[in-house]
PDB file of all heavy atoms in Angstrom:
ATOM      1  N   PRO D 440      86.251   7.217 106.823  1.00 97.00           N
ATOM      2  CA  PRO D 440      85.486   7.348 108.081  1.00 97.00           C
ATOM      3  C   PRO D 440      84.319   8.319 107.950  1.00 97.00           C
ATOM      4  O   PRO D 440      83.343   8.195 108.692  1.00 97.00           O
ATOM      5  CB  PRO D 440      86.548   7.875 109.063  1.00 97.00           C
ATOM      6  CG  PRO D 440      87.663   8.401 108.241  1.00 97.00           C
ATOM      7  CD  PRO D 440      87.672   7.589 106.976  1.00 97.00           C
ATOM      8  N   ASP D 441      84.383   9.244 106.994  1.00 98.00           N
ATOM      9  CA  ASP D 441      83.264  10.170 106.811  1.00 98.00           C
ATOM     10  C   ASP D 441      82.006   9.456 106.354  1.00 98.00           C
ATOM     11  O   ASP D 441      80.886   9.800 106.736  1.00 98.00           O
ATOM     12  CB  ASP D 441      83.637  11.272 105.810  1.00 98.00           C
ATOM     13  CG  ASP D 441      84.001  10.699 104.441  1.00 98.00           C
ATOM     14  OD1 ASP D 441      84.877   9.803 104.377  1.00 98.00           O
ATOM     15  OD2 ASP D 441      83.425  11.159 103.426  1.00 98.00           O
ATOM     16  N   ILE D 442      82.174   8.414 105.534  1.00 98.00           N
ATOM     17  CA  ILE D 442      81.021   7.628 105.084  1.00 98.00           C
ATOM     18  C   ILE D 442      80.360   6.922 106.266  1.00 98.00           C
ATOM     19  O   ILE D 442      79.138   6.940 106.430  1.00 98.00           O
ATOM     20  CB  ILE D 442      81.418   6.596 104.017  1.00 98.00           C
ATOM     21  CG1 ILE D 442      81.871   7.315 102.732  1.00 98.00           C
ATOM     22  CG2 ILE D 442      80.270   5.635 103.702  1.00 98.00           C
ATOM     23  CD1 ILE D 442      82.412   6.373 101.668  1.00 98.00           C
ATOM     24  N   LEU D 443      81.173   6.308 107.101  1.00 98.00           N
ATOM     25  CA  LEU D 443      80.635   5.613 108.275  1.00 98.00           C
ATOM     26  C   LEU D 443      79.939   6.578 109.226  1.00 98.00           C
ATOM     27  O   LEU D 443      78.893   6.254 109.797  1.00 98.00           O
ATOM     28  CB  LEU D 443      81.741   4.866 109.011  1.00 98.00           C
ATOM     29  CG  LEU D 443      82.316   3.630 108.288  1.00 98.00           C
ATOM     30  CD1 LEU D 443      83.499   3.053 109.071  1.00 98.00           C
ATOM     31  CD2 LEU D 443      81.249   2.570 108.095  1.00 98.00           C
ATOM     32  N   ALA D 444      80.482   7.773 109.364  1.00 98.00           N
ATOM     33  CA  ALA D 444      79.869   8.771 110.242  1.00 98.00           C
ATOM     34  C   ALA D 444      78.508   9.197 109.704  1.00 98.00           C
ATOM     35  O   ALA D 444      77.532   9.305 110.463  1.00 98.00           O
ATOM     36  CB  ALA D 444      80.786   9.981 110.389  1.00 98.00           C
ATOM     37  N   ARG D 445      78.406   9.425 108.387  1.00 98.00           N
ATOM     38  CA  ARG D 445      77.130   9.807 107.778  1.00 98.00           C
ATOM     39  C   ARG D 445      76.124   8.664 107.854  1.00 98.00           C
ATOM     40  O   ARG D 445      74.937   8.868 108.101  1.00 98.00           O
ATOM     41  CB  ARG D 445      77.324  10.239 106.339  1.00 98.00           C
ATOM     42  CG  ARG D 445      78.109  11.532 106.177  1.00 98.00           C
ATOM     43  CD  ARG D 445      77.868  12.182 104.817  1.00 98.00           C
ATOM     44  NE  ARG D 445      78.008  11.272 103.709  1.00 98.00           N
ATOM     45  CZ  ARG D 445      79.156  11.011 103.088  1.00 98.00           C
ATOM     46  NH1 ARG D 445      80.287  11.568 103.509  1.00 98.00           N
ATOM     47  NH2 ARG D 445      79.203  10.180 102.069  1.00 98.00           N
ATOM     48  N   ALA D 446      76.616   7.448 107.633  1.00 98.00           N
ATOM     49  CA  ALA D 446      75.732   6.288 107.710  1.00 98.00           C
ATOM     50  C   ALA D 446      75.172   6.104 109.113  1.00 98.00           C
ATOM     51  O   ALA D 446      73.990   5.789 109.281  1.00 98.00           O
ATOM     52  CB  ALA D 446      76.480   5.036 107.273  1.00 98.00           C
ATOM     53  N   LYS D 447      76.021   6.320 110.111  1.00 98.00           N
ATOM     54  CA  LYS D 447      75.571   6.197 111.500  1.00 98.00           C
ATOM     55  C   LYS D 447      74.539   7.264 111.837  1.00 98.00           C
ATOM     56  O   LYS D 447      73.510   6.978 112.489  1.00 98.00           O
ATOM     57  CB  LYS D 447      76.777   6.322 112.438  1.00 98.00           C
ATOM     58  CG  LYS D 447      76.458   6.217 113.904  1.00 98.00           C
ATOM     59  CD  LYS D 447      76.049   4.820 114.306  1.00 98.00           C
ATOM     60  CE  LYS D 447      75.950   4.679 115.819  1.00 98.00           C
ATOM     61  NZ  LYS D 447      75.540   3.327 116.240  1.00 98.00           N
ATOM     62  N   ALA D 448      74.764   8.496 111.392  1.00 98.00           N
ATOM     63  CA  ALA D 448      73.814   9.578 111.672  1.00 98.00           C
ATOM     64  C   ALA D 448      72.473   9.300 111.005  1.00 98.00           C
ATOM     65  O   ALA D 448      71.409   9.499 111.609  1.00 98.00           O
ATOM     66  CB  ALA D 448      74.395  10.902 111.182  1.00 98.00           C
ATOM     67  N   GLU D 449      72.504   8.813 109.758  1.00 98.00           N
ATOM     68  CA  GLU D 449      71.265   8.464 109.071  1.00 98.00           C
ATOM     69  C   GLU D 449      70.539   7.331 109.784  1.00 98.00           C
ATOM     70  O   GLU D 449      69.317   7.348 109.947  1.00 98.00           O
ATOM     71  CB  GLU D 449      71.559   8.072 107.635  1.00 98.00           C
ATOM     72  CG  GLU D 449      70.312   7.684 106.839  1.00 98.00           C
ATOM     73  CD  GLU D 449      70.606   7.166 105.453  1.00 98.00           C
ATOM     74  OE1 GLU D 449      71.727   7.354 104.942  1.00 98.00           O
ATOM     75  OE2 GLU D 449      69.704   6.548 104.867  1.00 98.00           O
ATOM     76  N   PHE D 450      71.308   6.352 110.213  1.00 97.00           N
ATOM     77  CA  PHE D 450      70.761   5.210 110.943  1.00 97.00           C
ATOM     78  C   PHE D 450      70.018   5.665 112.188  1.00 97.00           C
ATOM     79  O   PHE D 450      68.876   5.247 112.437  1.00 97.00           O
ATOM     80  CB  PHE D 450      71.918   4.274 111.308  1.00 97.00           C
ATOM     81  CG  PHE D 450      71.594   3.173 112.277  1.00 97.00           C
ATOM     82  CD1 PHE D 450      70.871   2.062 111.879  1.00 97.00           C
ATOM     83  CD2 PHE D 450      72.021   3.257 113.597  1.00 97.00           C
ATOM     84  CE1 PHE D 450      70.585   1.044 112.793  1.00 97.00           C
ATOM     85  CE2 PHE D 450      71.752   2.245 114.507  1.00 97.00           C
ATOM     86  CZ  PHE D 450      71.039   1.134 114.091  1.00 97.00           C
ATOM     87  N   GLU D 451      70.632   6.538 112.967  1.00 97.00           N
ATOM     88  CA  GLU D 451      69.998   7.020 114.199  1.00 97.00           C
ATOM     89  C   GLU D 451      68.742   7.816 113.910  1.00 97.00           C
ATOM     90  O   GLU D 451      67.741   7.704 114.612  1.00 97.00           O
ATOM     91  CB  GLU D 451      70.989   7.885 114.982  1.00 97.00           C
ATOM     92  CG  GLU D 451      72.231   7.149 115.475  1.00 97.00           C
ATOM     93  CD  GLU D 451      71.937   6.153 116.590  1.00 97.00           C
ATOM     94  OE1 GLU D 451      70.776   6.003 116.990  1.00 97.00           O
ATOM     95  OE2 GLU D 451      72.890   5.494 117.052  1.00 97.00           O
ATOM     96  N   THR D 452      68.756   8.606 112.828  1.00 97.00           N
ATOM     97  CA  THR D 452      67.578   9.399 112.469  1.00 97.00           C
ATOM     98  C   THR D 452      66.420   8.485 112.024  1.00 97.00           C
ATOM     99  O   THR D 452      65.273   8.667 112.465  1.00 97.00           O
ATOM    100  CB  THR D 452      67.931  10.365 111.332  1.00 97.00           C
ATOM    101  OG1 THR D 452      68.946  11.264 111.789  1.00 97.00           O
ATOM    102  CG2 THR D 452      66.712  11.168 110.896  1.00 97.00           C
TER     103      THR D 452
END
Side-chain angles (χ1 to χ4, degrees):
D441 59 308
I442 293 174
L443 289 175
R445 293 200 311 273
K447 180 69 171 180
E449 180 185 344
F450 169 75
E451 296 290 0
T452 298

